[in-house]
Amino acid sequence: LRNTEQGCNEYISQFPSGRYVFEAKQILTDFVEKRKILEKVRSNPNSYTPGMIKGYLKDGTISRDDLLNSKIPEKVIDTLDNIISHNLKLGETPESIPDGYTEVYFWGIPGSGKTCVLSAILSTAHQKGYLQIAQGPGLGYTTKLKNIFNESIAFLPPATPFADTQYLPFVLKKEKEDPRSASLIELSGEIFKSFYEKSAGNELSPQKQEALNTIIGFLNGNNKKLHFFFIDYETENKLDVHGLTQSDYLEAAARYFQDNNIFKKSTAAIYIVITKSDLMPGDKGQRLDNLKEYLRDANFTSFVNSLKARCQEHSINSGKILATNFSLGHVYFKQICSFDSETSENIIDILIRRIKPDSKSILDVFNN
């Protein structure tokens, strides 16, 4: 009996009542399982967690060479036993945002990549020498976020806890240019879902209601605002445990903003960002060119049209919807990232173009 798929099939064919038929059939079952696992890894490297892959390696279901032959980089395989869990200490949310500085909002469902995008742009801006972090409650959180993607192989940060809103004041300053002060507001995906709950007439928990009230207070302020709506390419419009889709939540938020005239109040720009775009077919150029078709084909048309109507109504983005894509590079096993800063640089460029420079920065406010 040869321990190969062909050998086992030949043995069973020649000796259907042979002594090792059971063993041969078990080996064939193992080969089928192995093939299924590796096919999933090749089609989507995030089909399994590091723990699952380590288990398959330990029990011999797959081998290191199998992973290498499935286009998993050696340096990624080498980190499986050294996964770093980031302990991010969250800062307190302020009652109000200082006047005079552009507010940047990251909106999206849980898992859409908001914290990863934030970490990546902070890391990239810091490496380019553009980033200055303001003192205050968000300093520790911001500092740890900026360090996550310092290495070519990084480990993804955890999602923002369900009722937390992070406020991160920082400055982007290119050499020989005036500083651009950003008050960035990162919301948990669960709070984003609250817009749907409100539109459906459902009562929020006191914790969620308090968090939402804080956000509404920010939005009603006079500062200029940039809104980034994140769409998770991987999730698309699959039903969640509540029987709702990503577009349901996005449309509810857009509807809430429309009914409460949120965009009328000092909105400087609105962007749609397709995250995890490395999973999209085609090369980088094709992905950017195909964003419009993707949004249409994945049933985000109602959401896009709603935002477009607000842009036309309030003369935002010259009446157009602006969209871009974002990728960390390549993510493996849901936690390990081979980082590529290209799309992070694009988001930084958007911030620098859209935030008005000022000789006085937010650092002056926090350091006084």
Side-chain angles (χ1 to χ4, degrees), residues 79-273:
T79 64
L80 284 169
D81 289 321
N82 299 290
I83 302 292
I84 295 174
S85 297
H86 299 286
N87 181 21
L88 300 175
K89 186 177 180 181
L90 307 178
E92 291 184 12
T93 304
E95 294 182 3
S96 62
I97 305 296
D99 289 337
Y101 305 103
T102 302
E103 296 170 21
V104 181
Y105 290 85
F106 281 3
W107 307 97
I109 64 168
S112 57
K114 300 179 297 297
T115 304
C116 287
V117 175
L118 175 56
S119 178
I121 64 175
L122 290 173
S123 295
T124 302
H126 184 257
Q127 288 166 22
K128 287 182 166 293
Y130 299 167
L131 181 68
Q132 300 171 41
I133 304 172
Q135 295 182 15
L139 176 65
Y141 180 71
T142 310
T143 302
K144 287 189 174 182
L145 275 183
K146 80 166 176 61
N147 290 336
I148 287 175
F149 293 102
N150 279 351
E151 305 293 335
S152 59
I153 294 293
F155 304 98
L156 301 190
T160 306
F162 82 94
D164 283 309
T165 297
Q166 288 303 295
Y167 167 59
L168 299 92
F170 62 86
V171 171
L172 294 173
K173 187 182 186 308
K174 298 177 77 170
E175 192 174 357
K176 298 180 181 178
E177 291 188 11
D178 282 336
R180 289 160 168 84
S181 297
S183 295
L184 194 144
I185 294 92
E186 180 203 5
L187 302 97
S188 77
E190 293 298 333
I191 293 303
F192 183 70
K193 286 183 175 182
S194 296
F195 293 113
Y196 177 85
E197 298 301 324
K198 295 290 283 187
S199 67
N202 299 332
E203 187 172 346
L204 299 179
S205 69
Q207 192 178 17
K208 284 188 178 182
Q209 186 62 59
E210 182 181 355
L212 188 61
N213 290 344
T214 298
I215 295 303
I216 300 305
F218 293 169
L219 291 170
N220 285 328
N222 295 321
N223 286 333
K224 289 290 184 182
K225 296 171 179 63
L226 302 180
H227 296 280
F228 290 84
F229 287 89
F230 291 87
I231 292 178
D232 182 349
Y233 177 81
E234 187 176 26
T235 299
E236 291 190 329
N237 264 322
K238 302 182 184 78
L239 293 176
D240 67 7
V241 294
H242 304 291
L244 299 169
T245 66
Q246 187 171 193
S247 64
D248 290 331
Y249 295 113
L250 289 163
E251 288 169 29
R255 191 162 52 244
Y256 183 93
F257 290 177
Q258 175 184 348
D259 293 345
N260 292 275
N261 274 329
I262 298 299
F263 289 137
K264 185 179 181 180
K265 298 164 183 171
S266 307
T267 298
I270 298 172
Y271 285 83
I272 294 174
V273 183

Side-chain angles (χ1 to χ4, degrees), residues 1-2 4-29:
L1 177 62
R2 287 179 292 160
T4 65
E5 197 165 2
Q6 182 181 350
C8 290
N9 278 319
E10 288 176 354
Y11 178 84
I12 293 170
S13 178
Q14 292 175 19
F15 308 103
S17 300
R19 181 177 176 183
Y20 300 106
V21 165
F22 178 81
E23 183 181 344
K25 288 182 177 179
Q26 184 59 51
I27 292 171
L28 286 175
T29 299

